[in-house]
Amino acid sequence: MALWRAYQRALTAHPWKVQVLTAGSLMGLGDVISQQLVERRGLQAHKTGRTLTMVSLGCGFVGPVVGGWYKVLDRLIPGTTKVDALKKMLLDQGGFAPCFLGCFLSLVGTLNGLSAQDNWAKLQQDYPDALITNYYLWPAVQLANFYVVPLHYRLAVVQCVAVIWNSYLSWKAHRL
């Protein structure tokens, strides 16, 4: 409980920094889970650079973009009724998620040193499956998130659920 209260105080004092650092930390945790539990690399074969890349993506891309998106979405569709939450989820999953996922996968490919041609081929291979998998998880999560969770906690809630999603994305993005 003390850790949660400290997090709340930090979030109140420095909302943007805390949201970005939370996203980066949980992206890194997702990669560690991917490498250790999904891929079963073991500590000796763990790719620390890959984990640091995912942390950097969380801090430099996911946190700012998703955090900013939630602010824009709340301005576009103010309110917290069930209908408002449904509208937000539909806009999030119908518009934002497909674009964000494509950008994320392309960015990982670029950071992994893929040529433009190889990155495009990998995106064509991975994107459809990743988007379909997205739709199994995120609409329900986002509906609850938009209906129940205050704006300043939404990124943290999503990133906690996203630890599993990030494990999947890290595995998908780094699979050759």
Side-chain angles (χ1 to χ4, degrees):
M1 262 337 235
L3 186 61
W4 176 247
R5 283 192 296 277
Y7 179 80
Q8 288 177 308
R9 282 192 304 276
L11 188 60
T12 300
H14 307 284
W16 193 250
K17 289 178 191 174
V18 171
Q19 287 181 11
V20 166
L21 291 173
T22 299
S25 300
L26 294 175
M27 289 286 294
L29 178 60
D31 182 67
V32 169
I33 291 169
S34 176
Q35 289 194 55
Q36 297 306 316
L37 298 180
V38 177
E39 300 166 40
R40 300 194 181 277
R41 289 184 175 278
L43 295 177
Q44 299 293 353
H46 187 89
K47 295 181 177 180
T48 306
R50 176 177 138 179
T51 300
L52 292 174
T53 297
M54 294 301 283
V55 169
S56 298
L57 277 167
C59 291
F61 178 70
V62 175
V65 171
V66 175
W69 166 243
Y70 288 154
K71 289 178 184 179
V72 168
L73 194 55
D74 253 30
R75 282 190 214 116
L76 290 173
I77 306 169
T80 57
T81 67
K82 289 178 185 175
V83 171
D84 295 330
L86 181 61
K87 288 177 185 176
K88 288 176 187 179
M89 183 276 293
L90 290 171
L91 189 55
D92 179 70
Q93 291 300 300
F96 179 77
C99 296
F100 177 80
L101 186 57
C103 290
F104 177 84
L105 291 172
S106 298
L107 191 53
V108 172
T110 299
L111 292 173
N112 284 338
L114 294 180
S115 69
Q117 186 176 2
D118 289 343
N119 203 359
W120 177 247
K122 182 148 178 55
L123 185 63
Q124 287 179 310
Q125 173 190 328
D126 292 347
Y127 180 81
D129 183 52
L131 187 61
I132 289 167
T133 304
N134 168 83
Y135 290 137
Y136 284 122
L137 174 65
W138 288 111
V141 171
Q142 290 294 53
L143 193 58
N145 196 31
F146 295 136
Y147 185 59
V148 178
V149 180
L151 176 62
H152 60 282
Y153 289 120
R154 285 186 191 150
L155 182 60
V157 167
V158 163
Q159 285 302 310
C160 287
V161 174
V163 168
I164 302 303
W165 177 246
N166 295 338
S167 299
Y168 166 77
L169 277 183
S170 182
W171 168 78
K172 177 67 91 177
H174 292 95
R175 195 173 48 115
L176 296 174

